[in-house]
Amino acid sequence: MTNLISAEGMRRLEEEFDFLWRIERRKVVQAVSEAAAEGDRSENAEYIYGKKRLREIDRQLKHIGTRLKLLKVAPPLNTVPERVCFGCWVQYEDEDGAEYCYKLGGPDEFDVKQGVISIDSPVGKALINRSCGDEVTIRRPTGDLLVVITEILITEPAR
């Protein structure tokens, strides 16, 4: 797994950690404490659910905390790179003329709905270090997809 992240991605991850630690965990601890005060815990659904939620939060905090120690913020792109790299936007077209545009980010910040894919994903791995005009085969479970890189950008294109 790649340990690169954008400055924005790092900020979001730190905010998530902070929210879980300072707000969400405290709220759940309070609810568990109140449920425990009601007596019999074996049939107390609020207590059982609260303890389960607390374990989930602690697991998330441990994971995010470990990742935050390993991650390195990638320097921002100041000029359009000649090759597809971390942090750039890449446009490509498939054999049927369908166009796609994604930003290559780290595995901790991918969000396909926002157009950010991981450089560790099959698409990211296929595109990395390629240039405009390159034909690239993207290996997918549903079959290979042949695409041509049409543009490399440092900012999201207007849609």
Side-chain angles (χ1 to χ4, degrees):
M1 185 182 312
T2 301
N3 290 328
L4 284 177
I5 193 166
S6 67
E8 175 68 18
M10 180 66 99
R11 184 188 59 74
R12 281 194 307 266
L13 207 54
E14 290 169 339
E15 285 175 356
E16 181 181 357
F17 185 90
D18 189 53
F19 170 78
L20 287 170
W21 178 250
R22 291 186 331 102
I23 298 168
E24 189 68 14
R25 191 174 193 287
R26 286 182 182 175
K27 185 169 49 173
V28 173
V29 166
Q30 180 64 36
V32 167
S33 178
E34 290 170 4
E38 294 176 9
D40 185 13
R41 297 176 186 171
S42 64
E43 295 182 16
N44 186 333
E46 290 172 15
Y47 176 81
I48 294 168
Y49 172 77
K51 291 294 283 185
K52 180 181 177 193
R53 178 69 182 125
L54 197 55
R55 284 190 301 274
E56 291 169 1
I57 291 169
D58 287 342
R59 212 173 6 260
Q60 283 179 283
L61 285 168
K62 182 178 180 184
H63 172 74
I64 295 171
T66 300
R67 290 299 294 157
L68 287 171
K69 290 176 187 172
L70 296 173
L71 291 170
K72 294 187 178 9
V73 175
L77 298 173
N78 296 320
T79 60
V80 176
E82 291 191 22
R83 297 187 166 277
V84 175
C85 63
F86 184 92
C88 76
W89 287 86
V90 59
Q91 279 187 293
Y92 59 91
E93 188 175 304
D94 69 14
E95 300 161 310
D96 298 326
E99 293 183 345
Y100 304 87
C101 185
Y102 293 107
K103 180 178 183 178
L104 271 64
D108 299 283
E109 59 186 333
F110 78 91
D111 184 346
V112 178
K113 290 180 182 175
Q114 296 296 316
V116 180
I117 61 171
S118 171
I119 60 173
D120 291 340
S121 70
V123 175
K125 286 179 180 178
L127 297 174
I128 201 81
N129 290 324
R130 300 302 191 105
S131 302
C132 276
D134 284 358
E135 286 190 358
V136 179
T137 301
I138 298 173
R139 307 240 180 260
R140 306 177 305 171
T142 57
D144 292 352
L145 179 67
L146 184 64
V147 302
V148 175
I149 297 175
T150 57
E151 197 167 4
I152 301 170
L153 308 152
I154 60 172
T155 59
E156 183 175 11
R159 295 184 183 200

